[in-house]
Amino acid sequence: MLNGKKIAVLMPAYNASETLEKTYSEISEALVDYVLLVDDASSDNTADLARNLGISTYEHQANLGYGGNQKSCYSEALKLDADIFIMLHPDYQYTPKLIPAMASMLMTDVYDLVIASRILTGTALQGGMPKYKYACNRFLTLFENMLTLAKFSEYHSGYRAFTRKFLETVPWQKNSNDFVFDNQILLQALFFGFRVGEISCPTRYSPESSSIDFFSSLRYGIGVLKTAFQYRLQRLGLMKFKIFSND
């Protein structure tokens, strides 16, 4: 709990047994009230390890994809009486030590969503981000900023924090079950007028960290471009898309 606000850490997991314990060990027990892991039908012992660590664990019987995993994370998390929700990957690519800072940005009622940016530090490449991913990140971010008129340093970090009001309002259930879910929910935040803040986050790629392959990255990039066009078309009143509608 922080200033009377309860905090829940949500972990979308898939074959994370090698890094889960290390990630979990850096979560502050004095600050975080709940830790919830959703296992997306891993082929390793991620779910068993999570339970042994004392983490509340929900298992998919079939793989639903990265976005499908997040949908389960939010659906289960909203059953808790938490006020702030931190989305933390259990692959140790993002440091849990930023949880207090991210939670503080939300509990002061300054922001509704916080994204941890790997670009603000200027050390993404030194941290191991592949050059082609860095180049794609910069191009897609520039393109999206042009269409949304926002000024984010990046749209593609998976490390986020949300208020309860945000998750109860935005129609994230309508988003893709694939990796583009992350991008859709951020553009939904902009569309529905929520306040989005950024915090710098060190880049940390390692052999144990999860990483999507080239073709999945290509599909993600196409999905990002599509979502940005949908955002602008609906803003202009030319077309209507379900992800930007609460009907």
Side-chain angles (χ1 to χ4, degrees):
M1 185 178 290
L2 184 65
N3 283 14
K5 302 286 188 180
K6 290 188 176 181
I7 300 169
V9 171
L10 317 178
M11 292 183 168
Y14 181 68
N15 291 342
S17 61
E18 291 188 28
T19 53
L20 174 58
E21 186 170 4
K22 184 163 52 175
T23 303
Y24 182 64
S25 69
E26 291 189 8
I27 297 175
S28 171
E29 294 183 0
L31 178 73
V32 173
D33 300 273
Y34 306 102
V35 180
L36 170 68
L37 180 142
V38 176
D39 181 71
D40 198 22
S42 294
S43 58
D44 64 7
N45 66 332
T46 295
D48 291 337
L49 176 58
R51 291 192 181 95
N52 289 336
L53 291 171
I55 301 172
S56 296
T57 304
Y58 180 89
E59 287 187 79
H60 288 166
Q61 297 307 305
N63 186 278
L64 299 184
Y66 175 68
N69 192 320
Q70 285 202 56
K71 291 176 184 179
S72 293
C73 281
Y74 302 139
S75 295
E76 293 301 311
L78 286 172
K79 297 176 185 178
L80 306 172
D81 62 344
D83 305 290
I84 294 170
F85 303 87
I86 312 288
M87 174 61 60
L88 173 66
H89 294 186
D91 63 357
Y92 203 60
Q93 189 175 139
Y94 302 104
T95 174
K97 295 178 181 179
L98 286 178
I99 289 174
M102 296 172 75
S104 294
M105 293 174 71
L106 297 181
M107 66 96 180
T108 53
D109 196 35
V110 174
Y111 297 107
D112 306 293
L113 185 159
V114 172
I115 181 169
S117 170
R118 300 161 295 178
I119 303 302
L120 283 173
T121 63
T123 58
L125 291 174
Q126 293 93 315
M129 182 181 288
K131 291 182 179 179
Y132 83 90
K133 287 193 174 184
Y134 179 81
C136 290
N137 185 310
R138 306 317 302 132
F139 167 75
L140 291 173
T141 294
L142 175 63
F143 182 83
E144 288 184 276
N145 277 334
M146 291 173 60
L147 290 189
T148 63
L149 305 182
K151 300 293 182 182
F152 295 140
S153 65
E154 79 158 316
Y155 288 73
H156 314 293
S157 167
Y159 198 6
R160 285 110 183 270
F162 309 91
T163 61
R164 172 173 285 275
K165 180 182 177 181
F166 177 86
L167 291 179
E168 290 179 338
T169 305
V170 169
W172 46 264
Q173 302 90 339
K174 300 178 182 179
N175 292 353
S176 169
N177 280 356
D178 209 339
F179 290 102
V180 76
F181 178 99
D182 269 351
N183 202 252
Q184 289 174 326
I185 199 171
L186 184 52
L187 266 65
Q188 285 173 323
L190 294 176
F191 187 85
F192 289 104
F194 285 98
R195 301 159 299 175
V196 182
E198 289 187 283
I199 186 172
S200 62
C201 176
T203 304
R204 185 164 60 192
Y205 276 77
S206 68
E208 296 82 18
S209 298
S210 61
S211 182
I212 61 177
D213 58 36
F214 175 79
F215 291 104
S216 295
S217 297
L218 181 62
R219 186 168 66 248
Y220 169 78
I222 293 171
V224 166
L225 297 176
K226 177 183 175 181
T227 303
F229 276 120
Q230 290 176 335
Y231 174 95
R232 178 46 50 194
L233 288 170
Q234 187 150 339
R235 274 291 187 207
L236 294 173
L238 299 176
M239 297 183 72
K240 189 173 182 179
F241 301 94
K242 65 179 183 179
I243 68 169
F244 297 120
S245 174
N246 266 322
D247 298 340

